[in-house]
């Protein structure tokens, strides 16, 4: 795996984890806040319905109750409205027939909603006594649509962000690997004998510092090599002009070098 690919994958992975945490926490906040607001609105609506219907229930005024129920159906999101007396008998109701025929089960949160309708009720009380209750079914379609839109929007933003991060990581990898490629090329050229080769320096970051150190090392190697070459040349000049025979050998007696005078003295020139 190349350094460029590692850079892209590493940055993308970090960004993906952070985006997941951010999107998840944001969606949870949106869902919980909207659910809390919806339940509060549902409770306020059914409580207002109970207060409005109280006098008609106490007087068994069915005409007024029918009017109140019909008025409740004009409220946005109300799927059905019903009024019961203390014996649980239905005094007035209106709404979706399928919802009115089913058994009423109170919903306490959106998790318990399985049919798209939030069922809630409020008791009709007077002087501490219960004389009946009102029941409402509120559609959660609008709330679910808001949550779905927020989820889709957040996902889209996250995908765009991931694309931008991948693009940025690509250019970052190109920039970093370009400097490293220059150092690799310079090392190969020095190995081939181009001592003192200099790397172009771009910027003032750590890679630029590394390039400066490499150039300094290359200059030092070239300088030391030249000094060694000069010393060898001087030694060769001395050996060629000295009249004494000088030779060098290994510990095992193998001859390494000898001066021209030594060649003449020991007769190696004729061999």
């Amino acid at each position: 795996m190349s350094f460029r690919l590692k850079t892209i994958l590493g940055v993308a992975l970090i960004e993906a984890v952070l985006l997941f945490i951010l999107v998840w926490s944001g969606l949870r906040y949106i869902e919980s806040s909207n659910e809390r607001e919806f339940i509060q609105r549902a409770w306020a609506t059914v409580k207002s319905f109970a207060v409005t219907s109280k006098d008609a229930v106490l007087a068994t005024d069915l005409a007024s109750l029918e009017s109140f129920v019909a008025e409740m159906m004009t409220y946005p999101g109300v799927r059905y409205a019903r009024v019961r007396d203390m014996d649980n008998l239905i005094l007035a109701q209106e709404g979706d027939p399928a919802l009115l025929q089913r058994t009423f089960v109170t919903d306490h949160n959106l998790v318990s909603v399985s049919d798209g309708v939030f069922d809630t009720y409020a008791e009709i009380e007077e002087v501490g006594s219960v004389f009946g209750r009102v029941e409402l079914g509120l559609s959660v379609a609008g709330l679910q649509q808001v949550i779905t839109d927020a989820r889709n929007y957040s996902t889209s933003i996250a995908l765009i962000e991931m694309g931008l991060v991948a693009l940025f990581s690509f250019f970052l990898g190109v920039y970093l690997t370009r400097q490293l490629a220059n150092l690799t090329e310079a090392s190969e050229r020095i190995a081939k004998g181009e001592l003192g080769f200099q790397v172009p320096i771009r910027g003032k970051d750590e890679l630029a510092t590394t390039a400066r150190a490499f150039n300094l090392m290359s200059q030092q190697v070239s300088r030391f090599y030249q000094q060694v070459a000069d010393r060898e040349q001087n030694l060769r000049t001395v050996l060629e002009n000295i009249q004494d025979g000088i030779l060098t050998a290994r510990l095992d007696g193998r001859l390494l070098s000898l001066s021209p005078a030594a060649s003449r003295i020991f007769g190696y020139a004729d061999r």
Side-chain angles (χ1 to χ4, degrees), residues 114-133:
S114 59
D115 54 4
V117 177
F118 183 82
D119 302 293
T120 186
Y121 76 96
E123 294 179 337
I124 300 174
E125 296 180 328
E126 179 68 18
V127 196
S129 299
V130 177
F131 291 90
R133 73 177 189 178

Side-chain angles (χ1 to χ4, degrees), residues 22-147:
L22 180 62
V23 170
W24 181 83
S25 59
L27 288 176
R28 287 299 303 161
Y29 175 77
I30 291 175
E31 292 176 3
S32 61
S33 59
N34 278 275
E35 179 181 4
R36 184 167 56 252
E37 181 181 355
F38 177 86
I39 293 176
Q40 290 175 351
R41 181 172 65 86
W43 173 246
T45 301
V46 75
K47 191 66 177 177
S48 175
F49 185 28
V51 172
T52 302
S53 305
K54 181 173 68 173
D55 291 339
V57 170
L58 294 177
T60 317
D61 186 352
L62 298 182
S64 296
L65 290 176
E66 292 288 349
S67 175
F68 294 151
V69 168
E71 183 179 355
M72 287 303 303
M73 292 303 301
T74 64
Y75 281 41
V78 176
R79 298 291 305 280
Y80 71 87
R82 181 162 48 214
V83 181
R84 296 179 185 270
D85 63 9
M86 65 178 64
D87 297 322
N88 208 33
L89 296 178
I90 298 174
L91 301 178
Q93 66 178 5
E94 189 172 334
D96 189 334
L99 297 176
L100 293 174
Q101 291 175 4
R102 68 178 184 172
T103 302
F104 180 84
V105 179
T106 304
D107 293 317
H108 300 286
N109 50 54
L110 296 185
V111 177
S112 60
V113 177
S114 59
D115 54 4
V117 177
F118 183 82
D119 302 293
T120 186
Y121 76 96
E123 294 179 337
I124 300 174
E125 296 180 328
E126 179 68 18
V127 196
S129 299
V130 177
F131 291 90
R133 73 177 189 178
V134 296
E135 300 171 353
L136 283 180
L138 302 174
S139 174
V140 298
L143 176 60
Q144 292 175 340
Q145 185 62 45
V146 169
I147 295 175

Side-chain angles (χ1 to χ4, degrees), residues 26 51 71 110 114-116 145 156 179 199 204 216 218 234 253:
V51 172
E71 183 179 355
L110 296 185
S114 59
D115 54 4
Q145 185 62 45
S156 300
Q179 292 280 59
V199 178
K204 298 181 180 180
L216 179 60
S218 180
N234 293 335

Side-chain angles (χ1 to χ4, degrees), residues 183-242:
L183 290 173
T184 302
E185 179 186 1
S187 300
E188 293 175 349
R189 296 182 70 166
I190 289 176
K192 293 178 180 179
E194 297 185 39
L195 303 179
F197 182 82
Q198 298 293 290
V199 178
I201 299 175
R202 300 181 178 88
K204 298 181 180 180
D205 54 10
E206 289 80 359
L207 287 175
T209 302
T210 303
R212 291 190 186 92
F214 182 90
N215 289 340
L216 179 60
M217 179 197 67
S218 180
Q219 291 175 353
Q220 293 290 345
V221 170
S222 178
R223 186 179 301 111
F224 292 154
Y225 184 85
Q226 187 61 45
Q227 290 176 357
V228 171
D230 292 342
R231 290 174 183 175
E232 288 182 353
Q233 182 62 37
N234 293 335
L235 178 60
R236 187 176 299 108
T237 301
V238 171
L239 291 176
E240 289 177 353
N241 294 281
I242 195 171

